[in-house]
Amino acid sequence: MNAETPIPHRARRPAAPLAGTIAVPGDKSISHRALMFAGLAIGETRITGLLEGEDVLRTAAAMRALGAEVARLDDGAWLVAGPGLGALRSPDDVLDMGNSGTAARLLCGILASHDIFAVMTGDASLRRRPMRRVIEPLAATGAGFAARPGGRLPLAVTGAAEPLPLSYRLPVASAQVKSALLLAGLNARGVTEIEEPEPTRDHSENMLRHFGASIDIHTQGTGRLIRLRGQPELRAADIVVPGDPSSAAFPIVAALLIPGSRITIEGVGLNKLRTGLFATLREMGADITVINAREAAGEKVGDLIVAASALRGVDVPADRAPSMIDEYPILAIACAFARGPSRLRGLAELRVKESDRLAATTDMLRANGASVAIEGDDLVIVGGANRLGGGLVTTQMDHRLAMSALVLGLAADAPVTIDDARFIDTSFPGFIPLMRSLGADIAAEGAPA
Ligand code: S3P
């Protein structure tokens, strides 16, 4: 973040229901990948709907520093022209990936498989996050890594001049790790094989096919085996980035919780490895309808109509976590308003997100009167009993906590204040004005209502 001073905000229940039609910004995962894969392809790729959030702008800057041409056109589209696979150059300066774990981890795959030297850092949140999960498998390409103790940023990479293909079984379900290895495998001679014990978002696989790579995916037990033939001729191919389902989650839950609301969200990505939240909310009794289902650049898209609904508690199985890993803070808010207990299972990975989201979600709910407990790796919330709201939420450099807390304030009996709204821009620039356009009452603390 550039500005030094935190900007507190307050949300309270609006006088009228939420209503209207909106579109949410482009998908963050797909936007990072679009810039990276286009930068490795031959020719010029036009990207429309790119998320222009802080995280993705860091990836754009990094790709530029590695020798790709990346430009924003006046009509809002982005043009990327790469020097081609294998032809990236060492950046002149340290690559600063800001708040973005996806940018940092995926980029490690590109750096490891090019004959270059690079140093990478990030903000205080990113410098706390584990990088060993990519460093260890990527070292087998022949690349050298030096990082702070615990595998934390800053780290230095000496890429392999002739990277070896990888064969690796992921110990944790992580699309970031899988994608880092696929990116490394692109520039290796031979076949890279990755086994994932549970399916995770497959945007990298979809985009590789879109750019003409040869990739096979086989179902194997509960997971998948992915095989990528290295050194393909990646050809530029235009990309339309769908709206981010993880961003749509916030207006969706707000509309479900504020009585009488009815909103439409156009052009939301509906890749089934991303829509665990929608399935869960439906199990809770949510009225969410998909219309105009279609496909864009290898990804499913549709418009969502959401109407306020009386929700009941839910038991979410651990194997659903990869398809909704970023949605637990906002799901926890829905659970706090639902009738009866909810159990959200198998959330160990939440401890290593932009913040420790398991602890931070618990603190956010508790500070606002909800009944919540961590039991092992599960989050248990008993909804419907208490008056909610009135608390101050410390957002810990975490955009999703900030937005979740504001949605809590919109539905609660008393207003909710967050200490800092700046990090929302990492994934959802324009969140507050967009919510206000639907009728939400969110304002900077101290500003006239
Ligand atoms: C992402 C994968 C997930 C998710 C993150 C984006 C991606 O992380 O939390 O916001 O784009 O691949 P993990 O791979 O660590 O689960």
Side-chain angles (χ1 to χ4, degrees):
M1 293 285 106
N2 296 328
E4 296 285 313
T5 324
I7 309 177
H9 273 70
R10 188 234 343 94
R12 70 169 133 225
R13 195 185 283 166
L18 300 189
T21 298
I22 56 170
V24 293
D27 189 277
K28 181 158 72 68
S29 294
I30 296 177
S31 295
H32 285 297
R33 288 163 173 78
L35 292 167
M36 291 185 190
F37 287 112
L40 297 172
I42 299 193
E44 203 173 68
T45 293
R46 185 186 169 87
I47 308 169
T48 44
L50 187 85
L51 169 63
E52 294 178 343
E54 296 272 345
D55 278 14
V56 174
L57 298 178
R58 299 289 179 162
T59 291
M63 290 309 291
R64 235 181 245 131
L66 291 167
E69 284 171 41
V70 182
R72 184 184 194 277
L73 306 178
D74 290 344
D75 65 0
W78 287 66
L79 276 190
V80 181
L85 197 53
L88 299 179
R89 62 169 164 75
S90 297
D92 294 335
D93 203 350
V94 173
L95 301 170
D96 185 350
M97 307 323 293
N99 193 247
S100 179
T102 308
R105 297 203 179 107
L106 268 59
L107 203 64
C108 280
I110 296 182
L111 300 176
S113 55
H114 281 77
D115 186 10
I116 58 182
F117 173 77
V119 179
M120 185 191 289
T121 191
D123 71 11
S125 154
L126 186 54
R127 280 183 273 118
R128 278 192 293 268
R129 298 181 66 185
M131 297 298 287
R132 211 179 261 152
R133 51 180 60 196
V134 287
I135 293 175
E136 267 175 21
L138 286 173
T141 59
F145 287 88
R148 277 198 303 144
R152 304 300 204 260
L153 295 181
L155 68 77
V157 189
T158 306
E162 293 200 17
L164 299 170
L166 301 170
S167 179
Y168 191 67
R169 181 180 159 83
L170 300 181
V172 283
S174 167
Q176 291 180 357
V177 177
K178 171 177 66 176
S179 300
L181 304 192
L182 287 172
L183 281 158
L186 272 178
N187 200 30
R189 203 188 295 260
V191 175
T192 287
E193 278 193 0
I194 304 164
E195 240 183 289
E196 51 177 3
E198 290 170 78
T200 63
R201 64 190 70 192
D202 56 0
H203 305 304
S204 298
E205 294 90 312
N206 294 341
M207 206 171 284
L208 277 166
R209 272 205 199 98
H210 187 64
F211 280 106
S214 157
I215 182 162
D216 303 320
I217 302 165
H218 301 279
T219 305
Q220 191 171 277
T222 53
R224 292 177 172 191
L225 175 67
I226 302 154
R227 280 206 191 92
L228 171 69
R229 182 162 297 286
Q231 302 189 329
E233 203 171 286
L234 291 183
R235 289 179 304 276
D238 291 353
I239 293 174
V240 182
V241 182
D244 197 326
S246 299
S247 296
F250 302 101
I252 288 173
V253 171
L256 290 173
L257 295 180
I258 299 170
S261 298
R262 186 182 173 83
I263 64 167
T264 301
I265 311 179
E266 291 179 334
V268 180
L270 295 176
N271 180 315
K272 68 176 189 326
L273 295 171
R274 293 290 299 282
T275 50
L277 176 74
F278 303 161
T280 303
L281 289 171
R282 285 204 182 102
E283 284 174 18
M284 297 173 77
D287 181 351
I288 303 175
T289 314
V290 176
I291 57 167
N292 299 329
R294 53 199 186 269
E295 200 160 299
E299 292 284 349
K300 292 204 164 51
V301 183
D303 303 336
L304 301 181
I305 301 173
V306 185
S309 308
L311 301 180
R312 47 186 180 272
V314 69
D315 190 326
V316 185
D319 64 7
R320 198 180 291 170
S323 68
M324 52 181 297
I325 194 66
D326 292 331
E327 278 65 82
Y328 285 98
I330 190 63
L331 174 62
I333 302 296
C335 293
F337 288 92
R339 193 165 29 81
S342 291
R343 180 176 285 267
L344 318 182
R345 297 177 189 266
L347 305 186
E349 271 296 296
L350 293 197
R351 295 196 168 96
V352 291
K353 294 296 178 188
E354 285 82 333
S355 64
D356 174 347
R357 280 193 183 148
L358 202 49
T361 301
T362 308
D363 292 348
M364 164 173 67
L365 288 174
R366 222 170 252 156
N368 287 285
S371 159
V372 55
I374 299 173
E375 293 180 7
D377 292 335
D378 299 351
L379 195 60
V380 179
I381 300 159
V382 182
N386 309 0
R387 273 177 63 81
L388 298 178
L392 168 67
V393 176
T394 310
T395 53
Q396 300 181 45
M397 307 177 83
D398 187 333
H399 51 132
R400 299 200 199 279
L401 274 183
M403 291 185 274
S404 299
L406 291 174
V407 171
L408 168 59
L410 294 177
D413 304 287
V416 171
T417 306
I418 60 170
D419 62 337
D420 193 1
R422 289 173 305 158
F423 282 85
I424 292 174
D425 283 353
T426 61
S427 69
F428 200 154
F431 171 73
I432 292 169
L434 194 71
M435 292 302 292
R436 288 174 65 118
S437 77
L438 294 172
D441 187 343
I442 304 176
E445 182 72 337

